[in-house]
Amino acid sequence: MTLRAGTMRLSCMFSSILLFGAAGLLLFISLQDPTELTPQQVPGVKFNIRLQQPHNGFRPGSSQDGDFKALTERVTQDLSSRSQRGLNLLVPDQAQAHLNMGTHLRPRQRRRRLLIKKMPAAGAILANSSAGTFVRPAARALDSRWISLHQKQQERKRVMREACAKYRSSSSRRAVTPRHVSRIFVEDRHRVLYCEVPKAGCSNWKRVLMVLAGLASSTADIHHNTVHYGSALKRLDTFDRQGILHRLSTYTKMLFVREPFERLVSAFRDKFEHPNSYYHPVFGKAILARYRANASREALRTGSGVRFSEFVQYLLDVHRPVGMDIHWDHVSRLCSPCLIDYDFVGKFESMEDDANFFLSLIHAPRNLTFPRFKDRHSQEARTTARITHQYFAQLSAPQRQRTYDFYYMDYLMFNYSKPFADLY
């Protein structure tokens, strides 16, 4: 009897220990912060722009987890500091409260909690939005421009991806060659790749890259010829294959585009309505010889005086007397956006907001803003939609339609509206 009683007592003690252990585990789980159990990259709220920071200790090629941490820790000071430059970005009170709540946590835990708490609940902003800031309906301190700029980026990239999937289905399976990246400029300090689209602010963007690289202290100090004919900025195709692929996979890739008809008129005005020692003899003479009946000997000698209608004839001719030029080539050919996954797509029409938003994201110096000066033909008005319509009014309806068809992929990929009602 004594042995049996001892055995029963041991069994009861063992059972009690198990029960206490299970209860303790349940209590620990119930007290655990649910944000610690949440995946860091929740589908639908991922911030797709790869943020880069030259001095934060991230290795080249670090995962987007580091980029998320950079955003959550520095979005307050970096974006607020640019409010004087036109963005006027504020952080909501709730996000600031979350910053204060995390001070007692270890650094890695604090960053993770801040990230997840800043993510919006489903439908908090828009049904299909993936903005990275939680919004309270009554939060008046929230500046909507931060959300708007982020949403625009998501929408632009979505439209571009859908157009590529529909019309360029084989592009994703092609290998990147040096030709595909020949228009991409490299800025290693801030790990930025910029695809140059002429007549879409490229001169000033290259000035910005030179300041970021430490090659100049101010964009105003850089002459036009230094920008375009110097060798200060490296092109991506000058690196070996490993260097190209490494930068494509780890750097922030961006391009800026412009309404195609407006970009075309801007290029024509710049290259053919002003003295030019290259475009007149190379393009002008060939265009006049082919498309102008009874061209004067002087015109054929100099190549000056090309009319817009003659220029468009050359553009649409499948047997052009002289080849294409980057100033009026398709963006889809210049930058290969169906092959290269760009992180940021800006537009010339919203240049100031887009450019300064991008500079905030890469943690550029706070005194660096995108320059707006016009360094060539500065006394002449910029090409606008009104001026563009005046030039295209010189064309017949079929010519306008064929020109629209020529740039159709650019219109589709970058979500520009038809510039004339009679286009289809």
Side-chain angles (χ1 to χ4, degrees):
M1 292 295 290
T2 305
L3 179 61
R4 181 177 296 178
T7 302
M8 291 180 63
R9 188 177 300 109
L10 287 173
S11 299
C12 291
M13 290 176 62
F14 183 71
S15 300
S16 300
I17 291 172
L18 288 178
L19 288 173
F20 276 114
L25 179 62
L26 290 174
L27 180 61
F28 174 78
I29 293 174
S30 65
L31 294 176
Q32 180 72 14
D33 191 332
T35 61
E36 294 294 321
L37 307 176
T38 307
Q40 290 187 359
Q41 295 190 17
V42 182
V45 293
K46 179 180 175 184
F47 195 78
N48 291 323
I49 300 171
R50 297 192 198 120
L51 307 177
Q52 308 296 345
Q53 182 180 354
H55 52 277
N56 60 4
F58 296 149
R59 300 184 311 276
S62 61
S63 68
Q64 284 186 340
D65 180 55
D67 300 333
F68 276 106
K69 294 170 186 174
L71 173 65
T72 55
E73 290 185 328
R74 304 215 28 195
V75 67
T76 305
Q77 67 260 35
D78 284 357
L79 292 177
S80 297
S81 68
R82 290 182 182 272
S83 61
Q84 295 144 1
R85 292 163 32 188
L87 283 178
N88 193 27
L89 298 169
L90 303 175
V91 176
D93 296 337
Q94 187 172 18
Q96 186 61 47
H98 290 149
L99 290 173
N100 296 332
M101 288 169 58
T103 55
H104 64 283
L105 299 171
R106 293 192 304 273
R108 183 174 181 82
Q109 291 176 328
R110 180 166 67 251
R111 286 193 291 267
R112 189 181 301 163
R113 288 192 183 185
L114 288 176
L115 167 65
I116 296 169
K117 290 180 180 181
K118 286 169 75 66
M119 289 179 176
I125 302 171
L126 289 176
N128 297 321
S129 171
S130 59
T133 306
F134 183 80
V135 183
R136 292 184 301 172
R140 293 183 178 274
L142 173 65
D143 185 15
S144 62
R145 295 183 82 176
W146 159 251
I147 296 176
S148 175
L149 290 167
H150 172 62
Q151 289 176 341
K152 284 179 182 177
Q153 283 303 307
Q154 301 304 311
E155 178 64 13
R156 288 172 187 173
K157 288 185 287 185
R158 181 191 66 79
V159 170
M160 189 170 67
R161 284 193 299 266
E162 289 182 357
C164 290
K166 186 174 182 180
Y167 294 97
R168 298 281 193 270
S169 57
S170 63
S171 293
S172 60
R173 298 191 294 271
R174 292 161 54 195
V176 176
T177 67
R179 182 188 68 79
H180 293 122
V181 299
S182 62
R183 308 309 312 173
I184 295 180
F185 289 86
V186 179
E187 200 286 285
D188 284 314
R189 288 178 64 182
H190 293 76
R191 295 158 65 193
V192 171
L193 299 180
Y194 164 63
C195 185
E196 174 191 35
V197 177
K199 313 312 298 179
C202 69
S203 299
N204 282 336
W205 264 119
K206 285 192 275 190
R207 287 184 172 93
V208 169
L209 293 182
M210 292 174 73
V211 173
L212 288 174
L215 301 173
S217 59
S218 169
T219 55
D221 300 333
I222 308 172
H223 191 267
H224 178 86
N225 289 342
T226 304
V227 170
H228 289 287
Y229 306 118
S231 57
L233 293 174
K234 292 183 179 179
R235 295 178 188 266
L236 189 54
D237 64 348
T238 62
F239 294 87
D240 60 20
R241 179 166 181 77
Q242 183 178 359
I244 291 174
L245 295 179
H246 166 72
R247 286 168 175 81
L248 284 174
S249 63
T250 62
Y251 282 26
T252 302
K253 303 174 290 295
M254 67 100 164
L255 78 162
F256 271 72
V257 299
R258 187 176 185 177
E259 202 282 334
F261 277 16
E262 188 174 305
R263 178 172 166 251
L264 181 67
V265 171
S266 177
F268 173 79
R269 296 176 71 201
D270 181 26
K271 305 306 179 187
F272 294 101
E273 292 188 348
H274 301 275
N276 192 294
S277 61
Y278 173 74
Y279 285 91
H280 289 192
V282 174
F283 288 87
K285 290 167 69 172
I287 290 172
L288 292 171
R290 172 72 69 89
Y291 306 109
R292 180 178 296 182
N294 303 318
S296 69
R297 186 173 299 177
E298 179 65 14
L300 294 174
R301 185 184 67 82
T302 63
S304 301
V306 173
R307 303 184 187 114
F308 185 66
S309 59
E310 296 166 338
F311 173 67
V312 171
Q313 280 183 278
Y314 142 79
L315 182 72
L316 302 177
D317 192 345
V318 294
H319 303 292
R320 300 183 190 97
V322 62
M324 279 294 289
D325 183 82
I326 61 171
H327 290 83
W328 46 82
D329 205 352
H330 313 80
V331 176
S332 54
R333 280 171 49 91
L334 294 171
C335 297
S336 302
C338 292
L339 185 61
I340 297 170
D341 185 20
Y342 285 91
D343 304 293
F344 192 97
V345 180
K347 289 193 172 185
F348 183 86
E349 294 76 15
S350 54
M351 178 64 80
E352 184 174 358
D353 280 351
D354 288 352
N356 291 323
F357 180 45
F358 178 79
L359 292 174
S360 294
L361 294 174
I362 65 168
H363 305 301
R366 291 182 175 86
N367 63 347
L368 177 61
T369 57
F370 187 81
R372 293 297 294 166
F373 58 80
K374 191 171 183 280
D375 61 349
R376 282 169 61 84
H377 322 307
S378 57
Q379 302 304 313
E380 185 178 79
R382 290 184 184 273
T383 301
T384 61
R386 181 183 61 81
I387 292 175
T388 300
H389 273 67
Q390 291 174 356
Y391 277 79
F392 272 86
Q394 303 170 24
L395 306 180
S396 64
Q399 282 181 312
R400 286 197 296 270
Q401 182 63 52
R402 289 184 61 202
T403 308
Y404 176 75
D405 294 341
F406 183 82
Y407 288 109
Y408 178 71
M409 278 305 298
D410 284 358
Y411 273 100
L412 185 70
M413 206 174 288
F414 303 111
N415 202 24
Y416 282 108
S417 303
K418 296 176 183 177
F420 289 87
D422 58 351
L423 297 174
Y424 57 87

